[in-house]
């Protein structure tokens, strides 16, 4: 129960709820919880004045005894159950929204897709929530049958050396199956990559966006060496990137867990291996910023 309390508190406390429908829905869930007599994140009840007065009159002198009395109260238990349901609903909505973005990334078919602003909030919520065991259990409810990943190629040009492409990356060590790759752990606001994702949204090309936990397979033809790929990103103002997005939420969560544990990526999460990839990179698209 305490785990779910912290989860719903985390999900409804986002930086800018005015920018995204997902945040607005989470806030609406929070408001619903208040209306039903629950103060989100505390488990306290906002019952009527008469109920509070009667509880105050029955309050034992001992603080610990008072806590025990509240927890044993049927109304308080009902409030906690209600809050648990709110937390589960918010978590399930987040899982569904994230998995939908990964689903779109694997279909080379014109579709409406999310802009970079909404994606930024979605990935922030997902990164925080994925640390919670209860959230990871709820994520299993949106599990889909595994599908082959697709790779894609994009071409980016930045104006000068001072401007960054805006990728936060983690080195992923090679194995007997694949060579070294860079995993995307974050995208800077207002960067070249954000502008690229927005252009993809305008063109209804969701499979060309770089999403959370996307892997960079090569940069300017350099592959299998994270250090050399980083150098290309740092030194070049013109790059061609071949990348591969996670095919579903499950692979993303496995990647995030390995990132937090600073451990190797599980073999079943290597969605960019030759055996897991179902198509070759498409022709590079251009964006000049």
């Amino acid at each position: 129960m305490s785990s779910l309390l912290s989860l719903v508190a985390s999900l409804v406390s986002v930086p800018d709820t005015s920018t995204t429908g997902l945040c607005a829905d989470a806030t609406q869930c929070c408001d619903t919880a208040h209306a039903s007599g629950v103060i989100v994140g505390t488990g306290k009840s906002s019952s009527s004045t008469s109920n509070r007065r009667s509880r105050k009159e029955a309050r034992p002198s001992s603080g610990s005894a008072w806590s025990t009395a509240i927890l044993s109260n049927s109304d308080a238990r009902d409030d906690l159950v209600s809050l648990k349901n709110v937390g589960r609903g918010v978590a399930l909505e987040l899982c569904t929204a994230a998995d939908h973005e990964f689903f779109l990334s694997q279909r080379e078919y014109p579709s409406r897709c999310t802009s970079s602003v909404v994606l930024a909030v979605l990935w922030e919520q997902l990164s925080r929530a994925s640390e919670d065991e209860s959230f990871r259990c709820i994520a299993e409810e949106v599990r889909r049958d595994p599908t082959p990943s697709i790779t894609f190629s994009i071409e980016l040009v930045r104006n000068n050396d001072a401007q960054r492409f805006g990728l936060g990356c983690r080195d992923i060590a090679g194995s007997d199956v694949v060579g070294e790759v860079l995993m995307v752990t974050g995208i800077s606001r207002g960067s070249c990559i954000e502008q690229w994702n927005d252009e993809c949204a305008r063109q209804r090309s969701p499979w060309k966006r770089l999403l959370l936990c996307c892997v960079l397979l090569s940069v300017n033809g350099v592959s299998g060496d994270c250090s050399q790929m980083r150098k290309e990103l740092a030194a070049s103002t013109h790059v061609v990137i071949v990348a591969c997005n996670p095919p579903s939420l499950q692979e993303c969560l496995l990647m995030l867990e390995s990132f937090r544990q600073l451990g190797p990526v599980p073999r079943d999460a290597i969605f960019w291996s030759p055996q897991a990839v179902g198509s070759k990179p498409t022709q590079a698209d251009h964006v000049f910023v």
Side-chain angles (χ1 to χ4, degrees):
M1 179 67 72
S2 61
S3 179
L4 278 166
L5 292 177
S6 62
L7 173 59
V8 69
S10 172
L11 291 178
V12 299
S13 59
V14 293
D16 185 4
T17 59
S18 64
T19 60
T20 146
L22 180 65
C23 292
D25 291 341
T27 305
Q28 184 177 2
C29 289
C30 180
D31 292 339
T32 303
H34 278 280
S36 64
V38 178
I39 303 174
V40 175
T42 65
K44 296 180 181 179
S45 172
S46 55
S47 304
S48 64
T49 304
S50 59
N51 287 340
R52 288 198 300 269
R53 187 184 303 113
S54 61
R55 291 175 183 174
K56 183 175 181 181
E57 292 171 354
R59 178 174 179 174
S61 57
S62 168
S64 59
W66 171 236
S67 300
T68 304
I70 290 181
L71 292 176
S72 64
N73 183 279
S74 60
D75 290 339
R77 286 198 301 270
D78 290 343
D79 286 347
L80 289 175
V81 171
S82 176
L83 182 56
K84 178 180 178 180
N85 292 334
V86 170
R88 186 182 182 283
V90 173
L92 187 58
E93 183 179 359
L94 174 57
C95 291
T96 302
D99 190 62
H100 181 65
E101 296 302 327
F102 293 120
F103 172 75
L104 292 177
S105 75
Q106 305 303 316
R107 299 168 67 244
E108 297 183 69
Y109 184 81
S111 305
R112 294 183 60 183
C113 56
T114 305
S115 67
S116 61
V117 173
V118 180
L119 282 177
V121 179
L122 179 63
W123 301 146
E124 180 181 354
Q125 290 180 317
L126 182 62
S127 296
R128 286 186 291 152
S130 64
E131 300 177 9
D132 189 281
E133 183 178 359
S134 297
F135 178 84
R136 295 194 295 272
C137 291
I138 292 172
E140 288 295 318
E141 298 182 28
V142 300
R143 178 182 289 274
R144 294 183 278 111
D145 292 336
T147 58
S149 307
I150 66 171
T151 58
F152 59 99
S153 178
I154 64 174
E155 186 171 355
L156 301 174
V157 177
R158 54 192 171 110
N159 294 327
N160 50 61
D161 291 337
Q163 187 182 21
R164 299 287 91 184
F165 290 113
L167 284 171
C169 295
R170 176 207 172 186
D171 295 0
I172 302 294
S175 67
D176 57 335
V177 179
V178 292
E180 294 183 358
V181 296
L182 294 173
M183 182 185 85
V184 176
T185 57
I187 296 175
S188 300
R189 301 303 303 272
S191 63
C192 295
I193 298 298
E194 270 215 339
Q195 293 179 45
W196 168 256
N197 283 346
D198 281 337
E199 184 63 24
C200 291
R202 284 190 290 269
Q203 295 181 3
R204 297 194 172 191
S205 303
W207 68 93
K208 299 177 183 177
R209 298 174 301 168
L210 271 72
L211 305 181
L212 181 68
C213 293
C214 174
V215 296
L216 309 187
L217 302 174
S218 72
V219 179
N220 287 345
V222 177
S223 62
D225 188 324
C226 292
S227 176
Q228 292 301 315
M229 286 192 285
R230 286 183 180 276
K231 287 181 180 178
E232 287 292 329
L233 288 171
S236 303
T237 56
H238 179 187
V239 296
V240 176
I241 297 173
V242 177
C244 182
N245 282 311
S248 74
L249 174 63
Q250 304 306 322
E251 286 82 5
C252 178
L253 293 178
L254 287 172
M255 296 290 284
L256 289 174
E257 181 65 17
S258 68
F259 174 67
R260 281 192 295 270
Q261 300 296 331
L262 299 178
V265 177
R267 181 176 288 268
D268 58 349
I270 304 178
F271 55 85
W272 61 94
S273 69
Q275 294 78 14
V277 172
S279 69
K280 299 297 181 182
T282 55
Q283 184 177 357
D285 292 278
H286 302 255
V287 57
F288 295 90
V289 294

